Amino acid sequence: MSGAAAHVLILGGTTEGRALAAALDGRPSLRVTSSLAGRVAQPRLPAGEVRIGGFGGPDGLAAWLRAEGVAAVVDATHPFAAGMSRNAALAAAATGVPLLVLRRPGFAPVPGDRWHLVPSLAAAAELLPGLGRRVLLSSGRQGIGAFAHLDGLHFLARSVDPPEPPLPPSLEVLLDRGPFTLDGERALLRDHRIDVVVTKDSGGAATAPKLTAARELGLPVVVVERPPVPEGVPVAADVAGAVRWLERTV
């Protein structure tokens, strides 16, 4: 593509989204806009242009792509942002704008792990009473309501911002943001007498130490499996792969 800079939209809010924006920043052949959902009060802002807030569903996103002359979209949202990924796929199909999903690999079990894979937070809540009584809930503040009916368990919920009701009756909230260290995770599990961990299969190094600490202590871990990528959309596992795709595409 020649002439004006090619406009690339990054659907971001993740470490990978920020890294991709940084990798593309300053390239005269590209104009890069990162879009953040606005669900975190003080998000880490990427390099380049930033917009915050939703588009109004797939039709709204399609209209924005047309109005802004977007040449390519990279979906670098959280692996569990299934709604946004679906909207991106529909909008890309409607406009003919090329779409790539930038998705970090999921967690991988190793010998000694006591993982229980479940398809949803509701399934995790159903399984919990048979596994423990003191729960580290590190699945994000928006999913805590799935555990609100469990009155026989104590939850330590870790999130960037305070959760909103409904909430479990016995709940302690720890406001914190990764990356987390292995020593810190060991101390957290011991100090709070945690006997079961709940996490999403978000992948990435920032939150992986809790899995190592749980393995060392022999704790069961309930892992919510990630939703699939929209059918037919290419996937890059890292920023370098996304950059190569963009170089070929725009």
Side-chain angles (χ1 to χ4, degrees), residues 17-97:
R18 291 189 294 274
L20 178 60
L24 301 177
D25 190 42
R27 295 194 180 200
S29 61
L30 297 178
R31 173 192 168 197
V32 179
T33 301
S34 294
S35 177
L36 310 182
R39 293 176 179 171
V40 177
Q42 295 181 319
R44 293 172 175 168
L45 298 179
E49 298 180 34
V50 179
R51 70 173 301 280
I52 296 178
F55 291 93
D59 292 340
L61 177 54
W64 196 92
L65 296 179
R66 293 188 185 100
E68 294 293 327
V70 172
V73 179
V74 178
D75 173 9
T77 56
H78 191 276
F80 282 81
M84 189 65 243
S85 293
R86 182 172 56 252
N87 289 349
L90 291 171
T95 59
V97 174

Side-chain angles (χ1 to χ4, degrees), residues 207-219:
T207 59
K210 67 174 174 283
L211 301 174
T212 302
R215 181 170 62 250
E216 291 177 351
L217 295 172
L219 303 183

Side-chain angles (χ1 to χ4, degrees), residues 67-160:
E68 294 293 327
V70 172
V73 179
V74 178
D75 173 9
T77 56
H78 191 276
F80 282 81
M84 189 65 243
S85 293
R86 182 172 56 252
N87 289 349
L90 291 171
T95 59
V97 174
L99 170 67
L100 174 78
V101 171
L102 172 55
R103 192 72 86 239
R104 58 182 177 253
F107 296 129
V110 301
D113 282 327
R114 297 176 56 197
W115 284 15
H116 299 265
L117 301 178
V118 294
S120 65
L121 288 172
E126 184 176 350
L127 192 63
L128 268 183
L131 295 177
R133 286 293 179 266
R134 297 185 63 84
V135 185
L136 172 62
L137 194 56
S138 62
S139 54
R141 68 185 177 92
Q142 293 184 326
I144 293 178
F147 305 89
H149 63 288
L150 296 175
D151 57 5
L153 284 69
H154 175 75
F155 291 90
L156 174 65
R158 182 166 63 189
S159 62
V160 176

